[in-house]
Every structure is written in C-alpha cells, then in structure tokens.
Amino acid sequence: MGWFTHVPKEPRAERGFARVVVPLAFVAAGYGAYRIAHATDDAPAIAFKNHLLYGALLFLAIFYGALLLLLPLARAIFAGELPTELSTKGPRYPERELISSRIASEELGARIDEVAEKLDKQAKLSSHNALTAAEAVADLAGDLESLKKKVDEQGQRIDAR
C-alpha cells in the first residue's frame, strides 16, 4: 500500500517541468492570442470591439487553460497525484502534510511498540536481579548472625579466662 501513498520528498522533476512548461505556455498563449485576434475582422462585444483587449482576453484564457490542464498533468505524471478539485482558484490536491504525518505517526507507533518490548524485558531482568539481591541479602544476614554468634562465643571464652 506504500506505493499508493508515496510522497516524494522533493518533487524536482515536477518543478523542472513547471519551469520549462510555464514560460512555453506563456509564449504560446501570446502567439496564439495574437494570431486569433489579428485574423479576426471584428472583435467581439465582450472586448468592446477592441482588438488589443480581445487579444489580452484570449491570452488570459489560453494561458490559464494551458496551466489548468498541463500542471495537474505534470503532477500526475511525476508525483502520482490527481487533483481532488478543479476550480477557478486552480487545482486542489490532498494535503501532503496529512499523508506525511500519517506515515510519521505509524513510524512513531512502531517505535513505541519497540520501546515497550524493551521495557518489558528490562522489567523482567530487574525483577530477577531484585530477587537475586534479596537472596544475597538474606544469605548475608544469616552469615552475619552466625558471625555474631561466633564473636559472642569468643568474647565469653575470653571473659571466662
């Protein structure tokens, strides 16, 4: 499933494509708008019968239309993402941060599980060490008690002489 949600760290190919295609689309839109506006005898009423304004409107329509089609196509080819929405504000994509934060949370969950396993092992080892230390203290207490008895016996022998 990772190939489906793969997010490139730096979309260099996409940026390179945009750096080449946007100026080419700009020039092509200008040339196309000039050719269409120049070939038209009467400019439409929306341009107030002005050929220059008609050319500018054509330029905007061609350039924006090219960007609206070519840049999502480039992102689909290079990043494997299709827009979730096409509007007058431009294409809208799923948030890359959401995908990367989901991946990061999955990695964090795996690390938490690993740390929990290590803590369980350490707790078992600590319990074993605590039992060993308690037995050693009990043995030491017994040894001290027997040593105290021997010292008391030696002290009584010395007092008896």
Side-chain angles (χ1 to χ4, degrees), residues 97-108:
E97 291 79 22
L98 293 177
I99 295 170
S100 63
S101 67
R102 183 179 51 83
I103 292 169
S105 66
E106 288 172 358
E107 290 174 357
L108 185 60

Side-chain angles (χ1 to χ4, degrees), residues 1-146:
M1 185 82 176
W3 61 269
F4 189 66
T5 59
H6 172 70
V7 178
K9 301 232 184 240
E10 267 187 55
R12 291 183 182 168
E14 181 183 338
R15 288 183 184 172
F17 183 80
R19 287 181 180 147
V20 171
V21 169
V22 170
L24 286 177
F26 186 82
V27 171
Y31 180 73
Y34 167 76
R35 295 285 296 181
I36 293 170
H38 184 69
T40 305
D41 291 334
D42 291 328
I46 194 163
F48 302 111
K49 304 286 183 186
N50 185 337
H51 283 281
L52 184 61
L53 185 57
Y54 181 53
L57 291 174
L58 282 172
F59 168 76
L60 288 175
I62 294 169
F63 181 65
Y64 188 72
L67 290 182
L68 193 63
L69 294 174
L70 292 177
L71 293 181
L73 177 65
R75 193 160 181 178
I77 291 170
F78 295 114
E81 291 180 332
L82 292 174
T84 57
E85 177 183 326
L86 287 174
S87 68
T88 57
K89 294 179 182 178
R92 186 171 148 203
Y93 291 92
E95 296 296 324
R96 287 184 179 181
E97 291 79 22
L98 293 177
I99 295 170
S100 63
S101 67
R102 183 179 51 83
I103 292 169
S105 66
E106 288 172 358
E107 290 174 357
L108 185 60
R111 287 182 65 196
I112 288 172
D113 293 341
E114 182 181 325
V115 168
E117 286 178 24
K118 287 181 180 180
L119 283 175
D120 288 341
K121 288 179 184 177
Q122 187 64 37
K124 289 176 185 176
L125 183 62
S126 296
S127 296
H128 175 70
N129 289 342
L131 288 174
T132 304
E135 290 172 359
V137 167
D139 289 344
L140 181 62
D143 290 345
L144 284 174
E145 192 63 38
S146 66

